[in-house]
Amino acid sequence: MYKLIDLAIPIIKSNFSELKLPYKLNFAITYRCQSRCLTCNIWQMHPNNELTLDEIKLFASKNRFFKWVELTGGEPFLRSDIYDIAKAINDTNNIYMLTIPTNSLTNKDLIIRNLEKILNLGIPRVVITLSLDGYKELHDQIRGIKGNFDRVMDLAKALQELKNKHKNLSFYFGYTISRYNQGKLKETIEYVKNILPFVDFNYFHVNVGQISEHYYNNKNSNFIGEREAIKNDIRYLLKNRRFSLSPIELVENAFIRNLITYVDTGKSPMKNRSLEASIFLDSFGNVFPSIVWDYKLGNIRETSYDLIPIINSNDAKNIRKLIKEGKEPPSWTACEAYQTLVGDMHKILI
Ligand code: SF4
């Protein structure tokens, strides 16, 4: 309970004042990836000199204000020390929520073994998002890996079993709408429900493809879908979702509603909370306000792994000023939009 209160305090504060320290860390722990996605070029990178476990431990011990952490990638489960990373961050930050996306291409047993250890750390909520961009042929085509869809289904079955043992685990499918799969969400959900009868619409989280030079490395890609087709997919999901009073489901509903606005206008639907409520740390130690804002604020290797000098730098002040003036790059991604929504709580209910 006290961990929930620790997260609730900065969230409530963010409704009334500007936060001095972010409570959410979006951390790309590796840029290695076995996928071949059409919408993201991270897989083309050959990263070296990524942060070591010792460096991450130092970072975690010096920055003890995170209550919600996303360990992303690349493919995060490619890091054999993912459990140690989660442990180091939890030991020092006492986090309430840990989210991890996966492409399901790492050995399933290895994922489950690491995940079981993570689940035993006592983090109240651990959320796994399985990337799924279509039914079998479509998903494998977009992801560029034959058999990837089947791997996603296998992992989903294993996670469903694991949920019976670990009440702090939940999982979703992360569906990114692009020009390759626009108009195919209904078919995909029906296809998945035939294989996994326990799945309902609330298992699906939708996103639209985003451009990010420093993260997805996809500035020159041409994958953005057509506005009306994307909106139809999103509306279809919204209409069929089971109503729930669970806070996470309410926020998810608000996220989806605002996603339609974002697709319609091309603008962020609400005041951005990047840097204030969350920051993005890449696997080389670079710090950015968000995953889409290509404005490097500094590198933790140059500040003895301390974020404070970076958060208080002149560049960071400039970012805050740009946000106040509404000049941030438009975006609406789950990595940042959730903090935006809970920082303006009444918008969740309307
Ligand atoms: S979207 Fe994910 S799985 Fe695909 S290339 Fe990028 S990091 Fe890898």
Side-chain angles (χ1 to χ4, degrees):
M1 185 56 151
Y2 73 94
K3 288 191 175 195
L4 176 58
I5 294 169
D6 275 357
L7 173 60
I9 288 171
I11 288 178
I12 292 167
K13 268 192 193 162
S14 71
N15 279 262
F16 303 103
S17 57
E18 195 175 318
L19 298 176
K20 300 278 177 272
L21 296 170
Y23 60 83
K24 185 181 180 204
L25 173 67
N26 292 312
F27 182 12
I29 55 177
T30 183
Y31 277 83
R32 284 181 291 139
C33 183
Q34 327 90 315
S35 203
R36 296 283 181 274
C37 294
L38 295 173
T39 54
C40 166
N41 293 327
I42 287 180
W43 61 270
Q44 294 180 16
M45 291 177 70
H46 301 285
N48 58 45
N49 199 22
E50 296 191 302
L51 293 170
T52 64
L53 177 59
D54 282 343
E55 287 179 294
I56 294 169
K57 282 182 177 170
L58 211 47
F59 166 79
S61 70
K62 290 203 172 180
N63 304 283
R64 295 170 178 249
F65 37 82
F66 294 111
K67 300 298 156 204
W68 176 2
V69 173
E70 167 135 334
L71 296 181
T72 184
E75 169 51 36
F77 284 101
L78 275 179
R79 272 201 77 140
S80 55
D81 53 4
I82 186 168
Y83 161 73
D84 301 285
I85 293 172
K87 182 173 184 318
I89 296 176
N90 187 52
D91 282 353
T92 47
N93 284 259
N94 263 321
I95 60 176
Y96 174 74
M97 176 135 72
L98 175 67
T99 49
I100 310 177
T102 178
N103 61 22
S104 307
L105 288 172
T106 308
N107 178 285
K108 181 188 76 186
D109 296 335
L110 192 62
I111 293 179
I112 297 295
R113 263 203 308 281
N114 274 320
L115 188 54
E116 278 219 87
K117 289 201 284 174
I118 290 172
L119 288 164
N120 286 327
L121 285 172
I123 301 167
R125 289 199 66 113
V126 178
V127 182
I128 307 296
T129 308
L130 284 64
S131 301
L132 181 71
D133 292 345
Y135 44 82
K136 187 176 166 77
E137 296 75 20
L138 185 59
H139 179 78
D140 288 0
Q141 183 207 333
I142 294 171
R143 296 262 148 182
I145 303 284
K146 204 166 167 25
N148 193 172
F149 178 90
D150 293 337
R151 306 277 290 264
V152 178
M153 294 299 107
D154 283 351
L155 184 56
K157 283 178 202 156
L159 291 177
Q160 186 67 9
E161 273 180 35
L162 204 57
K163 266 174 75 172
N164 296 329
K165 277 200 280 173
H166 297 274
K167 300 299 172 209
N168 54 342
L169 171 66
S170 46
F171 75 93
Y172 299 93
F173 297 107
Y175 187 94
T176 301
I177 307 174
S178 66
R179 74 182 173 94
Y180 304 110
N181 62 359
Q182 60 189 20
K184 304 287 185 193
L185 181 61
K186 181 172 186 281
E187 214 175 320
T188 299
I189 294 177
E190 280 167 5
Y191 195 96
V192 171
K193 281 165 84 171
N194 275 332
I195 299 169
L196 305 173
F198 60 83
V199 163
D200 67 7
F201 288 91
N202 291 42
Y203 271 81
F204 283 81
H205 169 87
V206 283
N207 233 321
V208 293
Q210 309 269 337
I211 304 282
S212 169
E213 193 164 6
H214 70 88
Y215 183 44
Y216 301 121
N217 190 20
N218 61 356
K219 198 172 174 203
N220 298 319
S221 307
N222 173 24
F223 60 86
I224 304 292
E226 190 257 315
R227 191 185 297 172
E228 282 310 311
I230 299 174
K231 282 190 335 194
N232 284 341
D233 275 343
I234 303 170
R235 282 197 198 107
Y236 170 73
L237 183 63
L238 197 54
K239 192 175 91 195
N240 286 289
R241 278 172 58 80
R242 172 176 34 84
F243 180 73
S244 162
L245 281 173
S246 130
I248 289 205
E249 294 293 347
L250 290 173
V251 177
E252 176 67 11
N253 264 357
F255 170 82
I256 300 174
R257 282 198 311 272
N258 281 283
L259 189 59
I260 296 174
T261 310
Y262 170 69
V263 173
D264 235 352
T265 62
K267 294 182 183 149
S268 309
M270 292 165 66
K271 179 180 171 282
N272 195 297
R273 297 286 179 152
S274 299
L275 185 60
E276 182 198 338
S278 60
I279 56 138
F280 173 62
L281 173 66
D282 77 11
S283 60
F284 311 104
N286 298 312
V287 179
F288 297 86
S290 72
I291 62 165
V292 296
W293 200 338
D294 189 25
Y295 191 134
K296 184 176 152 186
L297 294 168
N299 187 299
I300 55 169
R301 282 173 166 154
E302 289 157 12
T303 60
S304 308
Y305 303 93
D306 189 349
L307 266 179
I308 300 295
I310 296 174
I311 288 172
N312 291 335
S313 66
N314 285 335
D315 277 334
K317 283 181 193 142
N318 189 38
I319 288 290
R320 289 198 179 90
K321 184 167 161 281
L322 289 172
I323 292 173
K324 276 195 187 121
E325 293 167 355
K327 292 182 180 163
E328 74 276 12
S331 72
W332 193 248
T333 74
C335 287
E336 279 98 23
Y338 271 44
Q339 298 84 270
T340 297
L341 283 162
V342 295
D344 213 342
M345 271 185 203
H346 71 283
K347 297 239 171 101
I348 292 173
L349 300 170
I350 55 172

